[in-house]
């Protein structure tokens, strides 16, 4: 068959465009998948279930790189399991995001000159629902862009009627079991949002403040305390010292004067105090500090609140009505005037909590709130991991999990908001308290009112794995898809979301944990390892990169960086490299199809396969086994890397190139290679599909004529007639033979490049391959290395012995051999001099004792480079001298 004839596509195979255009393919292809119901999960199916929930993004949110990263990993897992024959449910949905959403709508009202109080509660909530319908949930469209294979028919929202029923049901159950209670405790309070906020909603950063040391008491009975929050001293009700601190034993139990007030406060002994820190004495303000509150409880101290919900001073006196920061400055000034300031340090950098929504400094505040008694729930959540019911991956993250659940404090679940699940408790005119379940009638009549607070967003999202399946109803979906197979989420919410799901799942579902495996990933960072942030100027909109390079390119880049539990650096250059990989897959498949690659019929028997065919099939089976093992261990980076190197290095750069000689020759050999190449591409595209679904779907359907990779079978080991073996066909001999061939070609290519020859430049050569396994490959060697037959007047000016073969080159017409020898000798002498100098310095003990580590490391690097240069230059010189 002629070369021109080989370039024509088979009549039965559709011709692919010369270039892959992601923007033209991705959108229509995704909609076709959805329309055909490929992602829909059937609870009546007899297939084994595989369930994953999406960590519900906020309804106010947009797709960021963190979402894209997490969704890529989940999509890869679910696509593979679907191909493996599981009834796969990837559950989508969104979180109502109480504070964030209320803030968005309140800002809109502010533009109209109104507040939520102008509208009233019911009208405001209607306004939020309207905003949600018009503006919320843009992330759903962005998920489609990314290729998320979720079951859109099951999309849920944490304020849906069914999920609201689940929230009310579990609240009532916890309340009846005395695991929910109302009490006055210290909470994180945002003076801007005017609500308690959870620990996850507090962001800590180093702020410049002041540390002032204040003298309490008079005469012999004085103590010095240090504080960064002088304004809270108005609420002090004691000074605490350690019981064993000899300096203050004579003062324990005595009353001392509290400056700027007409009060005296006791000195108490408490083991919480560190006698080695500061003066060993601390002021105790139970109403404005969580640790002080605990001390106050132990010593029956009064709680004196000196700030209102706006962080304005309420204590009587000259500071009343001042903002907390204004009061801080005024109080320090007044103390200084009385001579009570012992020391001042400015600036004093310390960690300060801020509201994650509005960035206001949070205020610890004593407040009446609703709490979950987490002791028994946390115990069960810890035991589920200890007993092996739930596995955490990577395993080293278990310690962080246990450190959290084993030391968990009771959870404040009430929020002073209007948007959210309102607490289902009614108060009667005579002090009655009634908790109402979803099937109960709320009390009516004069004087009955419902609690004004709503529940923490994490309370409803903690029910996500089973509330989305219809609980508390015992639905078919719940029976089929609970518990979830795996949870994929960031290590940063291990404590706040994962632990709550574990507690609620075990409690509500009769001891059955919500998932079998927890897979924790890191955060996406820029290419220098820095956190991405708009303020840093390094934040990236993933849609921009998808528009520029295609969704597959972004997905593959993210997957290649996904080492378990570690952060993921990413840069645009890497996404561009992944785009090049997608193009490589496209071009290689297009070449294969133009040369008759097919998936029809059985593979030829082993005796009809060339060593190259046997090698690529053997390497294919090794890759299938490796990728399966890495998927099962959630090693996304390693499996992506294995696929990249197999596809690009072994299939495209070697097998396809080696096959060109066969295709040009035509005949039976070309037919065999066409069938082998079709098989290799079929399996490779299947393996790649979960991570890069769009380009692989387009190519696979064109190559095989199949309906869709989404519902195709996951590849198993390839079998070759007449050479069946456990685990599929393997041929160690063929692998060694082609590895030798690769060594020869690589070494000669390197030598050509070192001599400045262009890749396409033809050079006369004599090949001595007799007695080696390379003899059948002479045509391929000559083609890939652009080596002409030696011809008349051939003069060997360079000789390369490689792997038992000899390649003699005639460079007389391409380079000045004498000048090249002289240049190499000069470079070799310079490298040897560099080695000698570096060796001398590293052998000088006096130098090593004085030189900084980075200087010593730099010299070691120079030595390593010099040694590599010497080896390379000697080999080149020997090759030329052997001529």
């Amino acid at each position: 068959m002629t070369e021109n004839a080989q370039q024509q596509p088979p009549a039965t195979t559709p011709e692919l465009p010369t270039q892959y255009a992601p923007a033209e393919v991705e959108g229509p292809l995704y909609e076709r998948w959805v329309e055909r119901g490929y992602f829909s999960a059937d609870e009546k199916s007899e297939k084994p279930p595989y369930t994953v929930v999406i960590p519900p993004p906020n309804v106010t949110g947009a797709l960021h790189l963190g979402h894209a990263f997490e969704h890529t990993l989940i999509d890869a897992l679910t696509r593979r399991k679907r191909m493996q024959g599981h009834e796969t449910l990837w559950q989508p949905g969104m979180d109502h995001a109480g504070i964030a959403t209320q803030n968005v709508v309140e800002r809109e009202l502010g533009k109209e000159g109104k507040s939520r109080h102008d509208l009233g509660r019911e009208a405001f909530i209607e306004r939020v629902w309207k905003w949600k319908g018009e503006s919320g949930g843009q992330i759903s469209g962005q998920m489609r862009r990314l290729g998320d294979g979720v079951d859109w028919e099951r999309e849920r929202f944490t304020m849906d009627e069914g999920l609201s029923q689940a929230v009310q049901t579990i609240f009532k159950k916890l309340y009846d079991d005395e695991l929910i209670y109302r009490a006055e405790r210290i909470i994180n309070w945002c003076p801007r949002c005017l609500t308690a906020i959870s620990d996850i909603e507090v962001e800590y950063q180093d702020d410049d403040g002041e540390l002032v040391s204040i003298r309490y008491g008079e005469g012999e009975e004085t103590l010095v305390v240090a504080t960064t929050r002088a304004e809270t001293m108005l609420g002090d009700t004691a000074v605490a010292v350690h019981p064993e601190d000899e300096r203050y034993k004579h003062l324990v139990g005595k009353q001392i004067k509290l400056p700027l007030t007409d009060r005296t406060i006791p000195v108490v002994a408490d083991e919480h105090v560190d006698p080695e820190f500061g003066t060993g004495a601390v002021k105790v303000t139970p109403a404005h500090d969580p640790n002080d509150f605990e001390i106050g409880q132990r010593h029956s101290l009064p709680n004196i609140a000196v700030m209102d919900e706006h962080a304005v001073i309420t204590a009587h006196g000259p500071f009343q009505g001042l903002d907390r920061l204004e009061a801080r400055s005024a109080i320090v000034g007044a103390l200084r005037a009385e001579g009570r300031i012992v020391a001042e340090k400015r600036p004093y950098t310390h960690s300060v909590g801020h509201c994650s929504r509005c960035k206001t400094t949070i205020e610890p505040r004593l407040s009446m709130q609703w709490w979950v008694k987490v002791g028994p729930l946390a115990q069960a959540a810890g035991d589920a991991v200890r007993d092996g019911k739930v596995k955490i991956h990577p395993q080293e993250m278990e310690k962080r999990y246990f450190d959290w659940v084993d030391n968990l404090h009771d959870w404040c679940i009430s929020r002073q908001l209007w948007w959210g699940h309102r607490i289902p408790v009614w108060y009667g005119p005579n002090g009655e308290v009634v908790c109402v379940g979803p099937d109960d009638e709320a009390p009516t009549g004069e004087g009955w009112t419902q609690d004004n607070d709503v529940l923490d967003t994490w309370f409803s999202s903690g029910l996500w794995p089973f509330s989305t399946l219809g609980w508390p109803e015992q639905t078919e979906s719940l029976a089929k898809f609970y518990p979830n197979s795996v949870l994929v989420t960031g290590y940063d919410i291990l404590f706040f979301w994962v632990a709550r799901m574990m507690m609620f799942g075990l409690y509500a579902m009769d001891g059955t944990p919500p998932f079998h495996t927890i897979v924790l990933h890191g955060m996406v960072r820029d290419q220098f390892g820095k956190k991405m942030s708009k303020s840093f100027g390094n934040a990236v909109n993933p849609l921009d990169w998808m528009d520029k390079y295609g969704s597959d390119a972004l997905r593959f880049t993210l997957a290649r960086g996904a080492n378990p539990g570690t952060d993921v650096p990413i840069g645009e250059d890497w996404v561009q490299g992944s785009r090049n990989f997608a193009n490589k897959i496209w071009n290689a498949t297009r070449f294969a199809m133009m040369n008759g690659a097919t998936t029809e019929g059985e593979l030829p028997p082993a005796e009809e396969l060339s060593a190259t065919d046997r090698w690529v099939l053997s390497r294919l089976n090794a890759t299938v086994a490796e990728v399966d093992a890495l998927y099962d261990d959630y090693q996304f980076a390693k499996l992506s890397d294995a696929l990249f190197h197999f596809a690009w290095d072994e299939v495209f750069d070697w097998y396809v190139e080696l096959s060109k000689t066969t295709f040009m020759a035509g005949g039976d050999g070309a037919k065999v290679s066409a069938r082998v190449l079709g098989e290799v591409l079929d399996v490779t595209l299947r393996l790649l599909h979960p991570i890069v679904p769009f380009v692989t779907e387009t190519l696979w359907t064109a190559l095989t004529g199949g309906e869709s990779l989404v519902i195709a079978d996951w590849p198993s080991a390839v079998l070759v007639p007449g050479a069946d073996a456990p685990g599929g066909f393997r041929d160690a001999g063929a692998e060694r033979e082609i590895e030798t061939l690769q060594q020869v070609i690589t070494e000669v290519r390197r030598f050509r490049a070192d001599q400045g020859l262009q890749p396409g430049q033809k050079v006369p050569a004599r090949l001595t391959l007799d007695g080696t396994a390379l003899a059948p490959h002479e045509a391929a060697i000559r083609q890939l290395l652009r080596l002409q037959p030696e011809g008349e007047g051939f003069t060997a000016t360079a000789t390369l012995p490689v792997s038992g073969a000899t390649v003699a080159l005639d460079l007389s017409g391409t380079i000045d051999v004498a000048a090249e020898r002289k240049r190499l000798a000069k470079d070799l002498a310079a490298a040897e001099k560099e080695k000698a100098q570096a060796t001398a310095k590293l052998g000088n003990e006096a130098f090593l004792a004085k030189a900084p580590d980075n200087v010593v490391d730099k010299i070691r690097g120079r030595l390593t480079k010099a040694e590599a240069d010497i080896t390379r230059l000697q080999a080149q010189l020997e090759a030329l001298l052997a001529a």
Side-chain angles (χ1 to χ4, degrees):
M1 188 176 292
T2 66
E3 183 175 356
N4 288 336
Q6 282 291 335
Q7 298 304 310
Q8 299 302 315
T12 57
T13 305
E15 185 174 359
L16 290 168
T18 56
Q19 291 184 324
Y20 177 50
E24 298 174 10
V25 170
E26 293 174 351
L29 184 53
Y30 184 85
E31 291 308 315
R32 185 156 67 247
W33 288 335
V34 174
E35 289 167 5
R36 293 181 179 179
Y38 293 156
F39 304 139
S40 298
D42 181 7
E43 60 268 14
K44 299 182 185 300
S45 167
E46 295 184 0
K47 297 177 182 178
Y50 187 82
T51 317
V52 185
V53 294
I54 189 174
N58 288 354
V59 66
T60 57
L63 190 74
H64 56 64
L65 274 178
H67 289 126
F69 172 55
E70 186 168 78
H71 291 198
T72 294
L73 305 187
I74 300 174
D75 199 39
L77 291 175
T78 53
R79 283 179 182 271
R80 174 176 176 254
K81 285 296 181 180
R82 190 179 292 111
M83 295 173 74
Q84 287 182 318
H86 287 72
E87 192 61 34
T88 302
L89 169 60
W90 183 9
Q91 172 69 55
M94 287 180 292
D95 192 284
H96 65 278
I99 294 178
T101 305
Q102 180 156 319
N103 280 348
V104 168
V105 178
E106 286 197 82
R107 280 197 295 269
E108 286 192 352
L109 286 174
K111 295 175 184 176
E112 302 170 13
K114 298 178 182 178
S115 73
R116 60 179 163 127
H117 300 285
D118 294 324
L119 271 66
R121 187 169 192 139
E122 289 188 10
F124 176 76
I125 292 174
E126 287 180 10
R127 179 71 176 255
V128 178
W129 277 108
K130 181 182 177 184
W131 174 88
K132 190 259 182 185
E134 294 174 352
S135 308
Q138 62 173 310
I139 202 167
S140 297
Q142 295 165 341
M143 287 166 60
R144 293 172 181 264
R145 281 290 312 278
L146 190 64
D148 287 2
V150 299
D151 187 345
W152 289 111
E153 296 174 357
R154 294 174 178 265
E155 187 175 12
R156 296 292 182 267
F157 180 54
T158 50
M159 289 285 285
D160 283 349
E161 183 178 349
L163 274 67
S164 296
Q165 183 182 18
V167 168
Q168 196 172 352
T169 298
I170 202 161
F171 187 100
K172 170 71 170 172
K173 180 174 171 60
L174 288 163
Y175 182 88
D176 290 345
D177 288 345
E178 299 183 349
L179 293 173
I180 280 184
Y181 63 95
R182 193 168 184 245
E184 195 173 42
R185 298 277 183 84
I186 293 285
I187 45 86
N188 299 311
W189 180 264
C190 176
R192 156 62 183 80
C193 298
L194 298 180
T195 181
I197 60 176
S198 67
D199 292 337
I200 188 63
E201 293 161 325
V202 178
E203 292 180 348
Y204 287 90
Q205 65 184 48
D206 287 340
D207 286 357
D208 284 340
E210 61 180 351
L211 179 68
V212 293
S213 297
I214 309 168
R215 178 172 54 83
Y216 282 26
E218 301 290 351
E220 296 293 324
E221 298 179 352
T222 62
L223 288 162
V224 175
V225 301
T227 181
T228 58
R229 302 168 66 221
E231 69 278 9
T232 64
M233 69 165 291
L234 301 176
D236 286 359
T237 56
V239 173
V241 298
H242 193 274
E244 304 300 323
D245 195 330
E246 294 293 337
R247 294 172 294 177
Y248 304 120
K249 276 191 173 183
H250 67 289
L251 292 177
V252 173
K254 293 187 176 182
Q255 296 280 329
I256 62 172
K257 178 77 165 57
L258 178 65
L260 306 182
T261 73
D262 57 1
R263 293 191 292 117
T264 61
I265 57 177
V267 178
V268 299
D270 195 280
E271 291 188 353
H272 170 76
V273 180
D274 180 1
E276 303 297 324
F277 183 77
T279 64
V282 296
K283 60 191 288 297
V284 181
T285 321
H288 293 280
D289 184 275
N291 293 322
D292 292 3
F293 178 79
E294 297 296 331
I295 294 175
Q297 293 291 102
R298 288 193 289 272
H299 298 277
S300 301
L301 300 175
N303 302 316
I304 300 177
V306 296
M307 276 181 263
D308 65 13
E309 66 266 28
H310 297 281
V312 171
I313 300 297
T314 57
H316 292 297
F319 312 109
Q320 186 175 6
L322 295 180
D323 173 79
R324 56 183 165 168
L325 298 182
E326 296 172 335
R328 181 178 301 171
S329 177
I331 287 171
V332 170
L335 290 167
R336 189 182 299 112
E338 289 192 3
R340 290 189 174 274
I341 299 296
V342 176
E344 297 180 68
K345 184 176 182 181
R346 295 190 187 89
Y348 178 73
T349 302
H350 60 130
S351 180
V352 178
H354 296 258
C355 174
S356 63
R357 302 301 176 189
C358 67
K359 310 308 176 186
T360 301
T361 300
I362 64 106
E363 189 65 42
R365 183 169 188 256
L366 186 64
S367 179
M368 182 67 75
Q369 302 286 344
W370 285 94
W371 304 81
V372 172
K373 183 179 180 181
V374 300
L377 303 176
Q379 177 71 41
D383 289 346
V385 175
R386 289 187 182 93
D387 298 344
K389 291 181 181 178
V390 178
K391 297 186 183 301
I392 294 179
H393 186 88
Q395 190 174 1
E396 53 265 29
M397 286 286 183
E398 284 185 3
K399 183 179 184 302
R400 296 181 66 180
Y401 177 78
F402 292 135
D403 286 346
W404 177 256
V405 297
D406 292 346
N407 299 284
L408 200 56
H409 297 291
D410 285 359
W411 171 20
C412 176
I413 56 172
S414 45
R415 298 291 179 268
Q416 290 63 57
L417 304 171
W418 287 356
W419 172 245
H421 297 282
R422 194 168 178 181
I423 289 176
V425 172
W426 271 255
Y427 305 107
N430 299 312
E432 301 96 332
V433 179
V434 176
C435 180
V436 176
D439 299 325
D440 301 331
E441 289 288 335
T444 58
E446 187 175 348
W448 283 93
T449 59
Q450 185 177 358
D451 194 298
N452 281 319
D453 290 351
V454 301
L455 288 163
D456 178 12
T457 299
W458 297 103
F459 190 94
S460 51
S461 61
L463 314 180
W464 193 247
F466 51 94
S467 64
T468 52
L469 297 172
W471 188 89
E473 301 298 324
Q474 298 304 307
T475 63
E476 288 183 295
S477 290
L478 189 65
K480 177 72 174 180
F481 295 114
Y482 187 91
N484 290 190
S485 305
V486 63
L487 173 74
V488 179
T489 193
Y491 63 70
D492 55 320
I493 55 174
L494 172 64
F495 311 138
F496 308 107
W497 186 46
V498 179
R500 282 151 172 67
M501 286 190 291
M502 286 285 284
M503 291 190 295
F504 280 168
L506 289 160
Y507 174 73
M509 301 301 293
D510 299 321
T512 302
F515 18 73
H516 297 301
T517 304
I518 301 167
V519 175
L520 298 172
H521 60 72
M523 300 172 65
V524 178
R525 297 181 178 271
D526 71 13
Q527 59 188 316
F528 305 108
K530 191 174 182 180
K531 181 180 178 181
M532 286 193 172
S533 166
K534 290 181 181 178
S535 61
F536 294 155
N538 62 350
V540 174
N541 182 345
L543 293 176
D544 292 341
W545 282 353
M546 286 192 279
D547 288 341
K548 195 170 182 180
Y549 303 111
S551 298
D552 285 332
L554 177 63
R555 289 171 61 118
F556 194 71
T557 305
L558 291 166
R560 284 193 82 181
N563 288 299
T566 61
D567 291 343
V568 183
I570 184 173
E572 185 169 1
D573 288 351
W574 306 345
V575 184
Q576 185 174 355
S578 295
R579 187 273 313 273
N580 295 344
F581 180 50
N583 289 341
K584 187 80 169 180
I585 301 170
W586 183 272
N587 293 333
T589 306
R590 185 170 179 271
F591 164 84
M593 292 173 62
M594 292 173 67
N595 285 277
T598 180
T599 58
E600 295 181 3
E602 278 193 339
L603 282 171
E607 60 268 19
E608 294 182 16
L609 300 176
S610 68
T612 309
D613 295 331
R614 296 196 305 276
W615 163 77
V616 76
L617 291 173
S618 185
R619 293 297 308 131
L620 176 66
N621 279 340
T623 302
V624 170
E626 182 181 10
V627 168
D628 272 330
L630 292 170
Y631 257 119
D632 291 341
D633 197 34
Y634 305 101
Q635 297 279 357
F636 297 99
K638 290 183 179 178
L639 71 90
S640 299
D641 218 43
L643 285 169
F644 175 86
H645 288 295
F646 173 71
W648 192 309
D649 298 346
E650 298 188 282
V651 179
F652 307 150
D653 277 359
W654 284 108
Y655 184 72
V656 168
E657 292 301 313
L658 290 169
S659 297
K660 287 181 178 179
T661 306
T662 307
F663 288 136
M664 290 175 63
D668 291 339
K671 292 179 181 178
V672 169
S673 288
R675 179 63 188 90
V676 170
L677 183 52
E679 185 75 14
V680 170
L681 288 174
D682 176 13
V683 173
T684 302
L685 293 170
R686 291 174 195 252
L687 292 172
L688 284 165
H689 176 73
I691 299 175
V692 285
F694 294 108
V695 68
T696 52
E697 172 86 340
T698 305
L699 294 172
W700 185 83
T701 53
L703 174 70
T704 68
E707 180 182 344
S708 173
L709 264 177
V710 180
I711 56 172
D713 291 336
W714 181 252
S716 54
V718 173
L719 301 176
V720 174
D724 293 347
F729 174 78
R730 294 300 299 271
D731 190 328
E735 290 196 35
R736 287 193 297 271
E737 181 174 330
I738 302 305
E739 284 172 10
T740 302
L741 175 63
Q742 291 171 332
Q743 290 169 6
V744 171
I745 292 173
T746 300
E747 285 299 315
V748 177
R749 279 177 172 168
R750 182 180 294 119
F751 181 79
R752 286 175 54 111
D754 287 340
Q755 307 315 309
L757 300 180
Q758 295 300 313
Q761 190 171 354
K762 294 183 178 181
V763 177
R766 177 189 300 139
L767 305 184
T768 306
L769 307 176
D770 295 341
T772 73
L774 299 175
H777 302 286
E778 180 169 354
I781 292 172
R782 287 190 175 277
Q783 179 181 331
L784 292 177
L785 292 173
R786 303 296 190 267
L787 302 180
Q788 294 176 317
E790 52 192 278
E792 192 173 330
F794 175 84
T795 301
T797 57
T799 303
L800 300 173
V802 186
S803 302
T806 302
V807 179
L809 304 174
D810 183 354
L811 303 177
S812 56
T814 55
I815 65 170
D816 184 334
V817 176
E820 182 64 13
R821 287 174 181 164
K822 186 176 181 180
R823 182 188 71 80
L824 290 173
K826 182 179 178 182
D827 290 347
L828 178 60
E832 288 173 337
K833 181 179 179 181
E834 175 75 1
K835 177 184 176 181
Q837 290 175 342
T839 301
K841 283 192 174 183
L842 293 173
N844 185 335
E845 292 185 5
F847 169 78
L848 293 177
K850 295 179 181 179
D853 290 344
N854 64 318
V855 173
V856 175
D857 289 342
K858 186 175 181 180
I859 293 174
R860 287 197 180 107
R862 284 168 49 192
L863 176 60
T864 300
K865 182 179 183 301
E867 289 174 339
D869 288 343
I870 290 169
T871 300
R872 174 178 56 81
L873 292 166
Q874 284 176 338
Q876 292 179 44
L877 197 55
E878 287 170 6
L880 288 175
L881 290 172

